[in-house]
Amino acid sequence: MHSEFGQLAPPEVAQHSKVPPHLLRYLLQELEQRGIAAEKVLPHTFLSQNTDPSVLLSHEARLTYQQSRLIILKALALTGDESLGLAVGHRQSITSLGLVSLGVMASATGRAALEFGIKYHRLTGSMLEIDLEPATDNAIKMIARSRFHEPVLLTFFVQELFAAMVGVVRFTTGSKQAIRRIEMMQAPPAKKSLYQEALGPSVRFDASRNAIFFDAEHLQRPLATADKFVVQEVETLLAGMMQEESNRLGFLKTVEEEVRRSLKSNPSIEEIAGGFSMGERSFRRKLAAFKVSFRDILSQIRQSQAMELLLWSRLSSEQIAAELGYSDPRVFRRAFKQWTGETPSQFRKSAIQL
């Protein structure tokens, strides 16, 4: 396979990851401006459900890591733009993160705003680990680390995060001096001027980490939009959302594990419900409360598992069909074509070429 697939996310990590589509909304906007239709990058199953991407990418939607990575990889291939992440990050404003943005703006200081955003960044669909650490010379550094260790995607995610972060910090602090320098692990790009325009003149490449260095003094200054009562209200709402998301993901993850464990035998809803000591109707109602159906779960697991096996293994379509619980390989091929718009062999070939 192509070298950029040399450090792919482990299958078990990719299958369990579900993320909101926040970043992808801005990616589609950028592609649209460049004359690239959403149909070129969105999963085939999305398009068969609704022709309006804004509905498909609503705040309630969740995408698997595999779906997200393929959308981004297709976008990178179609644009041929190594700085695409910068453009996507630049599209975002101080209000782009909804309630998280409101909490950031209402924070007492720039430091408090950063800490607030990092605390709740997972609710925005972030694909990076973000930490604040003290640095020498009265500076504070924000380090972004990969959750999936796939170089081409890490570069895209870091570009997007840093471009969006620079805009937010400049807006909240009202100063370009709040950011001292930026370090990026990617190799020096062909057009460094694009990075200097988006991130500032002090950008270093081939670094040992992805980090933004903030001036500690600037971050201690009070924000003009500070409101402690708003922060309290927003924190209450976000904490509830995080707990609800945790409960949702906890239950659904257990269901998915049960389905995946017996996938080869094509499990029925009655069998899975029985494993939870529930009747079929009660089980369906509980799934419906989380806006998902058993059919959705089974299809999503099969789709994700099929993609993983096509990318990481040398199994034939017939062997993969058997692993997914299909007694007839032709049924698997038809299902895969419905999911992705490609046959399994076409998908494997196009993935190698990306």
Side-chain angles (χ1 to χ4, degrees), residues 88-117:
V88 174
H90 188 65
R91 281 190 165 273
Q92 300 172 51
S93 69
I94 186 64
T95 61
S96 295
L97 300 180
L99 278 177
V100 176
S101 291
L102 181 57
V104 167
M105 289 189 290
S107 297
T109 63
R111 172 68 182 264
L114 273 176
E115 292 174 344
F116 188 96

mmCIF file of all heavy atoms in Angstrom, residues 88-117:
data_model
loop_
_atom_site.group_PDB
_atom_site.id
_atom_site.type_symbol
_atom_site.label_atom_id
_atom_site.label_comp_id
_atom_site.label_asym_id
_atom_site.label_seq_id
_atom_site.Cartn_x
_atom_site.Cartn_y
_atom_site.Cartn_z
ATOM 1 N N VAL A 88 -9.937 24.985 5.753
ATOM 2 C CA VAL A 88 -11.107 24.551 6.517
ATOM 3 C C VAL A 88 -11.131 25.227 7.887
ATOM 4 O O VAL A 88 -12.177 25.693 8.349
ATOM 5 C CB VAL A 88 -11.113 23.016 6.673
ATOM 6 C CG1 VAL A 88 -12.249 22.566 7.591
ATOM 7 C CG2 VAL A 88 -11.243 22.344 5.303
ATOM 8 N N GLY A 89 -9.989 25.315 8.542
ATOM 9 C CA GLY A 89 -9.917 25.989 9.839
ATOM 10 C C GLY A 89 -10.202 27.471 9.730
ATOM 11 O O GLY A 89 -10.851 28.060 10.597
ATOM 12 N N HIS A 90 -9.736 28.081 8.652
ATOM 13 C CA HIS A 90 -9.926 29.515 8.446
ATOM 14 C C HIS A 90 -11.398 29.865 8.243
ATOM 15 O O HIS A 90 -11.817 31.000 8.509
ATOM 16 C CB HIS A 90 -9.111 29.979 7.244
ATOM 17 C CG HIS A 90 -9.077 31.458 7.067
ATOM 18 N ND1 HIS A 90 -8.475 32.309 7.980
ATOM 19 C CD2 HIS A 90 -9.589 32.264 6.096
ATOM 20 C CE1 HIS A 90 -8.614 33.556 7.569
ATOM 21 N NE2 HIS A 90 -9.286 33.566 6.437
ATOM 22 N N ARG A 91 -12.187 28.902 7.793
ATOM 23 C CA ARG A 91 -13.617 29.143 7.573
ATOM 24 C C ARG A 91 -14.391 29.303 8.877
ATOM 25 O O ARG A 91 -15.499 29.820 8.894
ATOM 26 C CB ARG A 91 -14.235 27.974 6.799
ATOM 27 C CG ARG A 91 -13.944 28.019 5.322
ATOM 28 C CD ARG A 91 -14.759 26.997 4.545
ATOM 29 N NE ARG A 91 -14.686 27.345 3.139
ATOM 30 C CZ ARG A 91 -15.494 28.179 2.534
ATOM 31 N NH1 ARG A 91 -16.467 28.758 3.219
ATOM 32 N NH2 ARG A 91 -15.365 28.456 1.251
ATOM 33 N N GLN A 92 -13.820 28.835 9.967
ATOM 34 C CA GLN A 92 -14.534 28.835 11.230
ATOM 35 C C GLN A 92 -14.351 30.162 11.966
ATOM 36 O O GLN A 92 -13.319 30.805 11.862
ATOM 37 C CB GLN A 92 -14.058 27.654 12.074
ATOM 38 C CG GLN A 92 -14.304 26.316 11.377
ATOM 39 C CD GLN A 92 -13.671 25.159 12.112
ATOM 40 O OE1 GLN A 92 -13.869 24.993 13.308
ATOM 41 N NE2 GLN A 92 -12.903 24.346 11.394
ATOM 42 N N SER A 93 -15.383 30.525 12.703
ATOM 43 C CA SER A 93 -15.358 31.780 13.452
ATOM 44 C C SER A 93 -15.494 31.497 14.944
ATOM 45 O O SER A 93 -15.587 30.345 15.370
ATOM 46 C CB SER A 93 -16.511 32.681 12.995
ATOM 47 O OG SER A 93 -17.756 32.134 13.409
ATOM 48 N N ILE A 94 -15.555 32.539 15.734
ATOM 49 C CA ILE A 94 -15.683 32.404 17.180
ATOM 50 C C ILE A 94 -16.975 31.702 17.569
ATOM 51 O O ILE A 94 -17.062 31.094 18.634
ATOM 52 C CB ILE A 94 -15.605 33.794 17.860
ATOM 53 C CG1 ILE A 94 -15.581 33.659 19.392
ATOM 54 C CG2 ILE A 94 -16.747 34.689 17.406
ATOM 55 C CD1 ILE A 94 -14.381 32.947 19.931
ATOM 56 N N THR A 95 -17.991 31.740 16.708
ATOM 57 C CA THR A 95 -19.279 31.118 17.054
ATOM 58 C C THR A 95 -19.434 29.706 16.505
ATOM 59 O O THR A 95 -20.465 29.065 16.732
ATOM 60 C CB THR A 95 -20.434 31.975 16.514
ATOM 61 O OG1 THR A 95 -20.332 32.058 15.078
ATOM 62 C CG2 THR A 95 -20.405 33.375 17.103
ATOM 63 N N SER A 96 -18.446 29.189 15.808
ATOM 64 C CA SER A 96 -18.602 27.927 15.083
ATOM 65 C C SER A 96 -18.824 26.710 15.973
ATOM 66 O O SER A 96 -19.342 25.694 15.514
ATOM 67 C CB SER A 96 -17.384 27.683 14.189
ATOM 68 O OG SER A 96 -17.301 28.654 13.173
ATOM 69 N N LEU A 97 -18.443 26.782 17.239
ATOM 70 C CA LEU A 97 -18.567 25.627 18.126
ATOM 71 C C LEU A 97 -19.817 25.669 18.998
ATOM 72 O O LEU A 97 -19.925 24.939 19.981
ATOM 73 C CB LEU A 97 -17.320 25.507 19.012
ATOM 74 C CG LEU A 97 -16.004 25.316 18.266
ATOM 75 C CD1 LEU A 97 -14.847 25.211 19.253
ATOM 76 C CD2 LEU A 97 -16.052 24.083 17.377
ATOM 77 N N GLY A 98 -20.760 26.554 18.658
ATOM 78 C CA GLY A 98 -22.027 26.579 19.371
ATOM 79 C C GLY A 98 -21.889 26.915 20.833
ATOM 80 O O GLY A 98 -21.284 27.930 21.210
ATOM 81 N N LEU A 99 -22.418 26.053 21.696
ATOM 82 C CA LEU A 99 -22.370 26.306 23.132
ATOM 83 C C LEU A 99 -20.943 26.391 23.664
ATOM 84 O O LEU A 99 -20.651 27.170 24.575
ATOM 85 C CB LEU A 99 -23.126 25.200 23.882
ATOM 86 C CG LEU A 99 -24.646 25.329 23.958
ATOM 87 C CD1 LEU A 99 -25.239 24.119 24.660
ATOM 88 C CD2 LEU A 99 -25.039 26.605 24.689
ATOM 89 N N VAL A 100 -20.051 25.584 23.098
ATOM 90 C CA VAL A 100 -18.650 25.652 23.527
ATOM 91 C C VAL A 100 -18.085 27.040 23.229
ATOM 92 O O VAL A 100 -17.373 27.629 24.043
ATOM 93 C CB VAL A 100 -17.811 24.564 22.837
ATOM 94 C CG1 VAL A 100 -16.334 24.703 23.226
ATOM 95 C CG2 VAL A 100 -18.318 23.175 23.225
ATOM 96 N N SER A 101 -18.437 27.594 22.067
ATOM 97 C CA SER A 101 -17.991 28.946 21.720
ATOM 98 C C SER A 101 -18.515 29.979 22.712
ATOM 99 O O SER A 101 -17.798 30.900 23.110
ATOM 100 C CB SER A 101 -18.470 29.312 20.311
ATOM 101 O OG SER A 101 -17.813 28.553 19.333
ATOM 102 N N LEU A 102 -19.770 29.816 23.114
ATOM 103 C CA LEU A 102 -20.365 30.757 24.063
ATOM 104 C C LEU A 102 -19.613 30.713 25.391
ATOM 105 O O LEU A 102 -19.334 31.754 26.002
ATOM 106 C CB LEU A 102 -21.840 30.427 24.276
ATOM 107 C CG LEU A 102 -22.625 31.344 25.227
ATOM 108 C CD1 LEU A 102 -22.554 32.788 24.755
ATOM 109 C CD2 LEU A 102 -24.084 30.879 25.335
ATOM 110 N N GLY A 103 -19.270 29.513 25.840
ATOM 111 C CA GLY A 103 -18.500 29.386 27.073
ATOM 112 C C GLY A 103 -17.113 29.988 26.961
ATOM 113 O O GLY A 103 -16.613 30.602 27.905
ATOM 114 N N VAL A 104 -16.498 29.825 25.798
ATOM 115 C CA VAL A 104 -15.179 30.416 25.561
ATOM 116 C C VAL A 104 -15.259 31.942 25.650
ATOM 117 O O VAL A 104 -14.452 32.593 26.319
ATOM 118 C CB VAL A 104 -14.639 29.980 24.180
ATOM 119 C CG1 VAL A 104 -13.438 30.831 23.781
ATOM 120 C CG2 VAL A 104 -14.252 28.502 24.206
ATOM 121 N N MET A 105 -16.241 32.531 24.978
ATOM 122 C CA MET A 105 -16.374 33.989 24.964
ATOM 123 C C MET A 105 -16.717 34.550 26.337
ATOM 124 O O MET A 105 -16.316 35.659 26.689
ATOM 125 C CB MET A 105 -17.438 34.412 23.951
ATOM 126 C CG MET A 105 -17.021 34.225 22.503
ATOM 127 S SD MET A 105 -18.193 34.963 21.336
ATOM 128 C CE MET A 105 -19.588 33.859 21.530
ATOM 129 N N ALA A 106 -17.452 33.788 27.129
ATOM 130 C CA ALA A 106 -17.874 34.272 28.445
ATOM 131 C C ALA A 106 -16.839 34.028 29.539
ATOM 132 O O ALA A 106 -17.014 34.474 30.671
ATOM 133 C CB ALA A 106 -19.193 33.615 28.837
ATOM 134 N N SER A 107 -15.740 33.341 29.212
ATOM 135 C CA SER A 107 -14.708 33.044 30.200
ATOM 136 C C SER A 107 -14.039 34.330 30.685
ATOM 137 O O SER A 107 -14.016 35.342 29.986
ATOM 138 C CB SER A 107 -13.661 32.099 29.604
ATOM 139 O OG SER A 107 -14.242 30.847 29.267
ATOM 140 N N ALA A 108 -13.475 34.268 31.881
ATOM 141 C CA ALA A 108 -12.914 35.469 32.509
ATOM 142 C C ALA A 108 -11.661 35.977 31.809
ATOM 143 O O ALA A 108 -11.475 37.180 31.631
ATOM 144 C CB ALA A 108 -12.615 35.182 33.978
ATOM 145 N N THR A 109 -10.768 35.051 31.414
ATOM 146 C CA THR A 109 -9.500 35.437 30.794
ATOM 147 C C THR A 109 -9.235 34.557 29.573
ATOM 148 O O THR A 109 -9.915 33.551 29.349
ATOM 149 C CB THR A 109 -8.333 35.266 31.772
ATOM 150 O OG1 THR A 109 -8.216 33.858 32.100
ATOM 151 C CG2 THR A 109 -8.557 36.079 33.035
ATOM 152 N N GLY A 110 -8.187 34.912 28.840
ATOM 153 C CA GLY A 110 -7.800 34.087 27.708
ATOM 154 C C GLY A 110 -7.399 32.694 28.146
ATOM 155 O O GLY A 110 -7.707 31.705 27.478
ATOM 156 N N ARG A 111 -6.719 32.599 29.278
ATOM 157 C CA ARG A 111 -6.310 31.285 29.808
ATOM 158 C C ARG A 111 -7.543 30.453 30.151
ATOM 159 O O ARG A 111 -7.625 29.262 29.813
ATOM 160 C CB ARG A 111 -5.424 31.482 31.039
ATOM 161 C CG ARG A 111 -5.069 30.207 31.810
ATOM 162 C CD ARG A 111 -4.150 29.304 31.015
ATOM 163 N NE ARG A 111 -3.838 28.077 31.722
ATOM 164 C CZ ARG A 111 -2.736 27.886 32.465
ATOM 165 N NH1 ARG A 111 -1.852 28.862 32.598
ATOM 166 N NH2 ARG A 111 -2.502 26.737 33.032
ATOM 167 N N ALA A 112 -8.509 31.075 30.829
ATOM 168 C CA ALA A 112 -9.740 30.364 31.180
ATOM 169 C C ALA A 112 -10.498 29.933 29.926
ATOM 170 O O ALA A 112 -11.089 28.843 29.892
ATOM 171 C CB ALA A 112 -10.619 31.252 32.050
ATOM 172 N N ALA A 113 -10.478 30.770 28.892
ATOM 173 C CA ALA A 113 -11.148 30.433 27.642
ATOM 174 C C ALA A 113 -10.507 29.213 26.988
ATOM 175 O O ALA A 113 -11.200 28.312 26.494
ATOM 176 C CB ALA A 113 -11.110 31.622 26.688
ATOM 177 N N LEU A 114 -9.177 29.173 26.974
ATOM 178 C CA LEU A 114 -8.470 28.020 26.421
ATOM 179 C C LEU A 114 -8.812 26.740 27.192
ATOM 180 O O LEU A 114 -9.087 25.692 26.604
ATOM 181 C CB LEU A 114 -6.961 28.253 26.477
ATOM 182 C CG LEU A 114 -6.307 28.987 25.305
ATOM 183 C CD1 LEU A 114 -4.831 29.205 25.600
ATOM 184 C CD2 LEU A 114 -6.482 28.207 24.014
ATOM 185 N N GLU A 115 -8.781 26.842 28.507
ATOM 186 C CA GLU A 115 -9.070 25.673 29.339
ATOM 187 C C GLU A 115 -10.502 25.194 29.137
ATOM 188 O O GLU A 115 -10.772 23.986 29.122
ATOM 189 C CB GLU A 115 -8.810 26.016 30.811
ATOM 190 C CG GLU A 115 -7.329 26.241 31.109
ATOM 191 C CD GLU A 115 -7.095 26.724 32.526
ATOM 192 O OE1 GLU A 115 -8.079 27.177 33.173
ATOM 193 O OE2 GLU A 115 -5.942 26.671 32.996
ATOM 194 N N PHE A 116 -11.424 26.135 28.976
ATOM 195 C CA PHE A 116 -12.821 25.774 28.749
ATOM 196 C C PHE A 116 -12.962 25.030 27.417
ATOM 197 O O PHE A 116 -13.609 23.982 27.346
ATOM 198 C CB PHE A 116 -13.700 27.027 28.728
ATOM 199 C CG PHE A 116 -15.175 26.749 28.696
ATOM 200 C CD1 PHE A 116 -15.916 26.744 29.864
ATOM 201 C CD2 PHE A 116 -15.829 26.480 27.498
ATOM 202 C CE1 PHE A 116 -17.280 26.483 29.846
ATOM 203 C CE2 PHE A 116 -17.188 26.207 27.462
ATOM 204 C CZ PHE A 116 -17.916 26.208 28.639
ATOM 205 N N GLY A 117 -12.363 25.584 26.375
ATOM 206 C CA GLY A 117 -12.459 24.951 25.061
ATOM 207 C C GLY A 117 -11.854 23.563 25.048
ATOM 208 O O GLY A 117 -12.414 22.627 24.453
#
